[in-house]
């Protein structure tokens, strides 16, 4: 993992040697950096200048997704073995594991409320109210791996994109309502953002 100064283009910190391929990187508003790897490990640096990373086993195989909460105090991981876990970002303590089935690819936090969304390789999207996580909201409609997931800045909708080139916006609290489909795409959509 490399960090550059956006103003000068200069490399800020030396290359961080990781034991496997880096699959995702997330940066919190307060400067913490998390790197999710193909070795099942999650590494968290307290800042872009820190030389030592907190390392934890987030999945027995791959950590496919990582996202910080808006306040940077916690983060979520999505794993190859169907794990969606919440972690304390400073101590690395796992605070909650959410029930899923199959490979999970992406995670995203609601910008204002205690919701986390996770998407899987089978096209399923689940949204958990973290105050009552036992009954997640299930969003269907994608037939392939969901590769992009993002809450709108106002938190009212969730954008979802998949490997078949389908991008939709849904009201995650009322997934039975018709979704808005975003144009026609010829290939896979690897990311989506507001």
């Amino acid at each position: 993992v490399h960090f550059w100064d956006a103003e000068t283009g200069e490399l800020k910190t030396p290359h961080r040697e990781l034991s496997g391929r880096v699959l995702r990187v997330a940066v919190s508003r307060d400067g913490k950096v998390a790197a999710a790897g193909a070795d099942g490990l999650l590494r968290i640096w307290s800042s872009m200048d820190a030389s030592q990373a907190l390392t934890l086993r987030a999945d027995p195989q791959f950590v496919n997704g990582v996202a910080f909460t808006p306040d940077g105090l916690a983060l979520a991981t999505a794993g190859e073995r169907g794990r969606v876990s919440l972690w304390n970002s400073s101590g690395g303590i796992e605070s909650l594991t959410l029930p899923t089935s199959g490979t999970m690819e992406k995670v995203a936090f609601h910008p204002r409320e205690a919701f986390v969304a996770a998407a899987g390789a089978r096209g399923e999207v689940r949204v958990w109210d973290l105050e009552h996580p036992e009954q997640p909201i299930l969003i269907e409609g994608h037939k392939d791996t969901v590769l992009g997931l993002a809450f709108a800045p106002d938190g009212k909708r969730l954008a979802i994109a998949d490997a078949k080139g389908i991008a939709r916006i849904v009201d995650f609290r009322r997934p039975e309502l018709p979704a808005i489909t975003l144009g026609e795409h010829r290939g896979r959509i690897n990311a989506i953002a507001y």
Side-chain angles (χ1 to χ4, degrees), residues 78-95:
E80 188 76 15
R81 289 285 180 100
R83 285 179 61 134
V84 173
S85 300
L86 272 64
W87 307 85
N88 172 299
S89 66
S90 58
I93 298 167
E94 186 175 19
S95 58

Side-chain angles (χ1 to χ4, degrees), residues 6-7 14 21 25 44 51 69 119 139 156 158 168 170 174 184 186:
E7 299 294 322
R21 219 176 38 180
V25 174
I44 306 167
S51 60
T69 55
I139 300 170
K156 293 181 180 175
L158 183 64
R168 301 180 323 136
V170 299
R174 298 183 298 167
E184 295 181 26
R186 293 188 181 157

Side-chain angles (χ1 to χ4, degrees), residues 168-171 174-180:
R168 301 180 323 136
I169 296 176
V170 299
D171 180 335
R174 298 183 298 167
E176 71 281 359
L177 295 178
I180 299 167

Side-chain angles (χ1 to χ4, degrees), residues 56-134:
L56 31 125
R57 170 74 51 199
D59 191 84
Q61 292 182 320
F62 301 141
V63 182
N64 296 321
V66 61
F68 280 98
T69 55
D71 64 9
L73 297 177
L75 63 140
T77 56
E80 188 76 15
R81 289 285 180 100
R83 285 179 61 134
V84 173
S85 300
L86 272 64
W87 307 85
N88 172 299
S89 66
S90 58
I93 298 167
E94 186 175 19
S95 58
L96 182 64
T97 300
L98 299 167
T100 66
S101 60
T103 298
M104 299 309 290
E105 295 288 338
K106 293 287 184 182
V107 286
F109 280 100
H110 191 282
R112 298 183 182 152
E113 297 178 55
F115 288 98
V116 65
R122 295 186 216 148
E124 74 279 9
V125 175
R126 288 179 175 80
V127 181
W128 289 270
D129 176 343
L130 295 176
E131 293 176 13
H132 305 283
E134 53 283 337

